[in-house]
């Protein structure tokens, strides 16, 4: 039976009450307790810094050459917090409610409320670290709006919010390295979890430079390893982002929850050809000022600028007048797909829609004219002033678009199309962020918790930092308080020896296949299966077929993959092979999960279950649960965590 | 935008590990689309090398959207290649034309040992940050985010300096392999903000000391760093760094 260990009491008192009663570890004992943290994105860096500050002995691992490179760095738009600095009706409850509703009623109320509560502390902490958030002329923090909300609660640093937040956490982490509380292992990848007497007690890590396998003990292990979007091959994730650490944990007993809940982000730069290695996101903040449209006529090949206003279909504004271009991501993505599938797409591939800044440039231009008291000016002056304002707000995004496509977005509308961006699913965790393996925790995108079936914009950064700065420092102590008498276990222990052998056997097997096909080619094929059959729209028939195809691909991989180079030494192809092998197995579970969930909700859209006007049709009576999958070797067993909504009354999500 | 296809000659630095001497290897690549990114062009070559039974070319890369700072490479003598304000991963093949010869080398500096082929170690940068590139504030210590108003211009300048991605192109571009642009960006970011004020004097001295210890060269004001920086970090930061350093030294802390 899954116990989410949600504390008693009213929703808004649970976290306070928990903190008041949680077990503590005294400073002398903290110095004796070792904690392993895998991954150094926002969740991992903030946890490593905070736990180091508290006095724990922390070992942090990342596969990149420096902890500052983790993919949190690429988050553009911003971070939400219920500060209500804009006096526009925001509150902890409002942020909680928006997140629950945005997640299509598939997240835990207690976790989400806690997230909303600590959101305000995150902003304070980051400002204190020197994170240069955008400010108004009065010197105070600036806010912008984001999809799925009607208040302005998003804090940002131009289009580089993730970068600035991660640099803040990274600097805090490096400070602890200097103080000796954190030891950093860069260019290391976790390849096995070590369990002793039912508790996570360490990891086997591969030194990616030398190829050596290393044993590391920890009283507890924290996985802060991000999401699994790269299962689709093409995604906005970094090339190295992978599921391997989480998958090793899953195969040793950690349940994997809601794997089919993946987020397809509506505003990405479209695919240009077969050579494409990854996709680039254009921040959702662009939907604040940009208008999304397609030609009203099918197969209209005229350049965008030649299509008159009345022959354009601003389909989001038409279908969702209340939220317009700011509907949540899943809704916006599906609407784009619907238009393209119906033959209204633009660009050479016809798999794109326009994101147009012409109106915003005029609006800002006119505002500048009146602000500067310029009186009657020529239209090109208005346009030039408007472009200046847009450049200040979104300049780096526009530059990025121009570099990739060779087109100037100040002159012609951008072409965008949805792409895989975030994974709401992940390792199942309880209220304390603990997985079903004792002593093993999952933080940030690696866990399944706060976003339900769809994540709202500017909430990933919030969750990563909430988990690392303000949740794990309390909940980990509650576990370690009972572990103060456990001496460090020698890495000569048989469990370490066995785990290392398992990892080494697998590497040897991979290298000895010496087949004919490259790792990359398998990854591409896997991505195509999952994108076509478990992507923006799914159906039972397709999913059943996908499972068969993935199983066949797995067999083919293990008999025909070719990995060049050697085991001892830097070998990026070998690293990639291990990750792709795990993605293949995860791919099967995703399809299984999507097949089992006979409803549509959030990012999971089953074609069989939709309202007459094409919206997602939930089945609360039968599917209001978290699907937590237990690995049984070659199959999986489903465990259900029933979601109880005490405060929010689930209804059909409407943004009309 | 007109797309085209091209054939190229590549001269790529191959080096098995840090002990190996290394050498250039020539490769012909065919039918490269102008729409590809530079790294996708190398992906295509690597796929071919693997199929032919050779070891692929090792290079650092991760986000491929110009923000993580992991990609490096000196392309035809320029760190991150010919486009201004652009990382290698954002460089696209339309920068080249049919028949071009492209020379690809790792970032070269004493403080950046080669790991393999085009991959170098830049961990010296992490150690410089450890020396003082932070504000000493533990989690939970913070006051309200709006308690201290910050002049917009200052906040903007701090942000411009903080935009550094720590890729190390400044070092690779400098004939002295100086890390002054990197260090000055971090010192400026924190010196411009009231939160960085309490440790301002100590920070600059410690970070400079670590920079020297790592074996980076001196700055002789050629501004090659600014010219090659993919985030266009200004050399004005170096002027600020020198000022900060002088003031700290004079005040004897």
């Amino acid at each position: 039976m899954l116990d989410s260990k949600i504390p008693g009491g009213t929703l808004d008192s649970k976290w306070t009450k928990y903190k008041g009663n949680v077990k503590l570890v005294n400073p002398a004992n903290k110095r004796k307790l070792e904690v392993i943290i895998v991954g150094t994105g926002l969740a991992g860096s903030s946890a490593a810094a905070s736990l180091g500050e508290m006095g724990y002995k922390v070992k942090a691992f990342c596969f990149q050459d420096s902890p500052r490179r983790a993919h949190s760095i690429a988050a553009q738009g911003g971070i939400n917090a219920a500060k209500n600095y804009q006096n526009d009706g925001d509150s902890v409850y409002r942020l909680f409610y928006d997140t629950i509703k945005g997640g299509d009623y598939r997240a835990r109320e207690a976790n989400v409320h806690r997230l909303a509560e600590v959101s305000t502390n995150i902003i304070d902490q980051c400002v204190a670290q020197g994170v240069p958030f955008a400010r108004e002329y009065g010197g105070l923090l600036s806010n912008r709006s984001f999809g799925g909300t009607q208040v302005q609660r998003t804090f940002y640093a131009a289009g580089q919010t993730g970068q600035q937040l991660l640099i803040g956490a990274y600097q805090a982490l490096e400070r602890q390295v200097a103080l000796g509380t954190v030891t950093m292992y860069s260019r290391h990848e976790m390849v096995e979890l070590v369990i002793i007497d039912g508790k996570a007690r360490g990891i086997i890590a591969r030194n990616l430079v030398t190829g050596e396998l290393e044993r590391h003990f920890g009283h507890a292990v924290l996985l802060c390893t991000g999401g699994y979007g790269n299962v689709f091959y093409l995604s906005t994730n970094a090339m190295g982002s992978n599921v391997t650490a989480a998958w090793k944990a899953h195969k040793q007993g950690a349940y994997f929850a809601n794997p089919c809940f993946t987020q397809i982000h509506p505003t990405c730069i479209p695919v240009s050809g077969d050579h494409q290695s990854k996709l680039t996101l254009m921040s959702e903040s662009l939907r604040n000022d940009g208008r999304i449209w397609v030609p009203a006529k099918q197969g209209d090949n005229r350049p965008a600028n030649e299509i008159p206003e009345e022959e354009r279909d601003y389909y989001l504004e038409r279908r969702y007048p209340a939220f317009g271009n700011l509907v949540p991501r899943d809704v916006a993505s599906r609407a784009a797909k619907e238009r393209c599938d119906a033959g209204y797409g633009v660009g050479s591939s016809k798999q794109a829609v326009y994101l147009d800044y012409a109106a915003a440039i005029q609006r800002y231009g006119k505002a500048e004219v009146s602000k500067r008291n310029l009186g009657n000016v020529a239209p090109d002056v208005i346009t030039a002033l408007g472009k200046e304002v847009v450049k200040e707000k979104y300049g780096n995004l526009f530059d990025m678009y121009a570099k990739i496509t060779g087109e100037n977005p100040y002159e012609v509308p951008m072409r965008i199309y949805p792409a895989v961006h975030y994974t709401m699913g992940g390792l199942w965790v309880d209220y304390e962020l603990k997985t079903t393996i004792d002593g093993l925790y999952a933080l940030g995108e690696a866990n399944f918790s706060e976003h339900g079936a769809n994540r709202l914009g500017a909430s990933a950064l919030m969750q990563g930092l909430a988990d690392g700065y303000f949740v794990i420092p309390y909940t980990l102590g509650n576990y370690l308080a009972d572990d103060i008498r456990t001496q460090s276990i020698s890495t000569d222990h048989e469990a370490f020896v066995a785990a290392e052998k398992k990892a080494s056997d697998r590497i040897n097997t991979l290298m000895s296949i010496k087949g004919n096909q490259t790792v990359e080619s398998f990854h591409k094929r896997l991505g195509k299966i999952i994108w076509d059959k478990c992507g923006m729209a799914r159906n039972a028939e397709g999913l059943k077929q996908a499972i068969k195809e993935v199983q066949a691909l797995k067999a083919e991989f293990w008999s025909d993959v070719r990995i060049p180079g050697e085991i001892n030494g830097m070998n990026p192809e070998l690293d990639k092979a291990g990750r792709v092998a795990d993605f293949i197995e995860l791919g099967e579970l995703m399809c299984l999960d999507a097949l089992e969930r006979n409803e549509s909700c959030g990012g999971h859209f089953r074609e069989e279950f939709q309202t007459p006007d094409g919206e997602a049709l939930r089945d609360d009576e039968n599917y209001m649960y978290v699907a937590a999958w237990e690995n049984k070797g070659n199959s999986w067993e489903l465990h259900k965590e029933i979601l109880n909504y005490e405060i929010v009354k689930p209804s059909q999500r409407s943004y009309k | 935008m007109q797309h085209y296809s091209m054939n190229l000659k590549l001269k790529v630095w191959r080096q098995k590990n840090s002990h190996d001497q290394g050498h250039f290897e020539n490769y012909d690549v065919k039918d490269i689309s102008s729409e590809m990114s530079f790294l996708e062009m190398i992906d295509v070559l690597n796929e071919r090398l693997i199929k032919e039974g050779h070891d692929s070319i090792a290079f650092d890369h991760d986000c491929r959207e110009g923000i993580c700072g992991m990609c490096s490479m000196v392309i035809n003598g320029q760190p991150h290649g010919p486009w201004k304000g652009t990382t290698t991963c954002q460089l696209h093949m339309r920068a080249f034309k049919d028949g071009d010869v492209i020379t690809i080398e790792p970032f070269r500096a004493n403080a950046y040992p080669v790991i393999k082929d085009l991959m170098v170690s830049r961990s010296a940068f992490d150690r410089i940050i450890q020396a003082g590139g932070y504000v000493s504030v533990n989690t939970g210590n913070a006051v309200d985010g709006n308690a201290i108003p910050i002049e917009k211009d200052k906040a903007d300048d701090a942000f411009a300096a903080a935009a550094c991605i720590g890729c190390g192109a400044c070092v690779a571009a400098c004939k002295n392999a100086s890390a002054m642009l990197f260090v000055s960006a971090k010192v400026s970011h924190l010196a411009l903000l009231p939160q960085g004020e309490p440790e301002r004097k100590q920070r600059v001295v410690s970070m400079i000391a670590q920079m020297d210890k790592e074996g980076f060269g001196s700055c002789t004001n050629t501004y090659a760093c600014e010219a090659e920086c993919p985030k266009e970090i200004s050399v004005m930061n170096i002027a600020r760094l020198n000022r900060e350093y002088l003031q700290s030294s004079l005040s004897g802390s």
Side-chain angles (χ1 to χ4, degrees), chain B:
Chain B
M1 164 123 301
Q2 205 58 44
H3 306 305
Y4 56 96
S5 165
M6 67 195 100
N7 297 332
L8 303 160
K9 282 191 184 310
L10 305 184
K11 285 178 67 182
V12 184
W13 185 260
R14 300 303 304 263
Q15 183 174 340
K16 216 167 164 343
N17 52 44
S18 57
H19 309 298
D20 182 27
Q21 257 211 305
H23 65 282
F24 279 107
E25 195 80 53
N26 294 319
Y27 303 98
D28 287 319
V29 289
K30 293 194 168 30
D31 303 323
I32 297 299
S33 157
S34 61
E35 286 187 280
M36 280 185 194
S37 74
F38 191 81
L39 295 183
E40 285 165 353
M41 183 271 293
I42 302 207
D43 290 342
V44 169
L45 171 60
N46 269 341
E47 286 292 286
R48 194 187 86 200
L49 290 177
I50 297 166
K51 283 197 176 135
E52 291 171 356
H54 304 295
D55 198 2
S56 54
I57 300 163
F59 61 96
D60 269 324
H61 63 113
D62 202 23
C63 76
R64 293 205 180 187
E65 44 189 276
I67 193 73
C68 77
M70 186 115 172
C71 65
S72 50
M73 298 192 194
V74 175
I75 300 162
N76 284 341
Q78 287 183 280
H80 293 300
W83 282 0
K84 200 174 159 37
T86 306
T87 55
T88 295
C89 67
Q90 292 285 74
L91 176 65
H92 276 63
M93 292 312 291
R94 64 178 182 279
F96 301 93
K97 57 183 192 308
D98 190 39
D100 276 359
V101 178
I102 307 176
T103 308
I104 310 170
E105 302 164 79
F107 279 1
R108 296 195 192 273
N110 276 340
Y112 288 171
V114 172
I115 293 172
K116 187 179 180 182
D117 298 336
L118 304 169
M119 235 177 218
V120 299
S121 168
R122 288 163 287 188
S123 51
F125 273 17
D126 288 333
R127 292 188 291 273
I128 292 175
I129 297 297
Q130 284 159 27
Y134 45 74
V135 174
S136 294
V137 52
N138 283 2
T139 303
N141 282 182
V143 296
D144 184 86
N146 263 345
I148 309 168
I150 302 174
E151 239 175 282
K152 187 176 187 306
D153 289 349
K154 275 202 170 170
D156 289 350
D157 286 349
F159 171 76
C164 167
I165 56 175
C167 67
C170 46
V171 174
C174 178
K175 61 181 173 139
N176 306 324
S178 166
M180 285 287 269
L181 192 64
F182 168 77
V183 177
S184 70
K186 187 45 60 193
V187 166
S188 294
H189 160 210
L190 297 174
L192 282 161
L193 297 171
Q195 289 82 7
E197 187 63 32
E199 295 164 291
R200 188 170 169 179
K201 289 181 178 167
Q202 186 54 46
R203 176 181 305 117
V204 61
V205 173
S206 307
M207 289 181 74
I208 294 271
Q210 188 63 34
M211 177 183 85
D212 290 343
K213 202 171 138 192
E214 296 288 347
F216 290 104
S218 307
C219 173
T220 49
N221 297 310
T222 65
Y223 303 163
C225 51
E226 182 187 75
E228 298 298 346
C229 174
K231 294 295 145 181
E232 301 180 300
I233 303 291
S234 164
V235 291
M236 294 305 290
N237 289 303
I238 297 184
R240 186 181 291 108
L241 173 72
N242 287 329
R243 217 160 49 232
E244 292 282 324
Y245 188 74
L246 196 65
Q247 278 169 1
S248 298
S249 310
L250 288 178
S251 68
S253 62

Side-chain angles (χ1 to χ4, degrees), chain A residues 154-173:
Chain A
T154 305
F155 295 79
Y156 63 100
Q160 286 131 275
T161 316
Q163 181 201 20
Q164 295 307 318
L165 296 176
L166 182 60
I167 295 298
Y170 156 76
Q171 288 172 185
L173 164 70

Side-chain angles (χ1 to χ4, degrees), chain A residues 426-462:
Chain A
L427 292 174
W428 184 90
V429 291
D430 61 20
Y431 188 73
E432 299 185 304
L433 305 182
K434 190 153 76 179
T435 68
T436 48
I437 297 175
D438 217 13
L440 181 74
Y441 293 76
L443 282 66
E445 191 180 350
N447 72 30
F448 86 100
S449 60
E450 269 65 330
H451 309 294
N454 173 60
R455 179 175 66 76
L456 289 183
S459 292
L461 304 184
M462 172 171 67

Side-chain angles (χ1 to χ4, degrees), chain A residues 320-333:
Chain A
Y320 308 100
F323 281 71
N325 292 295
L326 284 177
V327 290
R329 292 174 174 178
D330 54 337
V331 177
S333 290

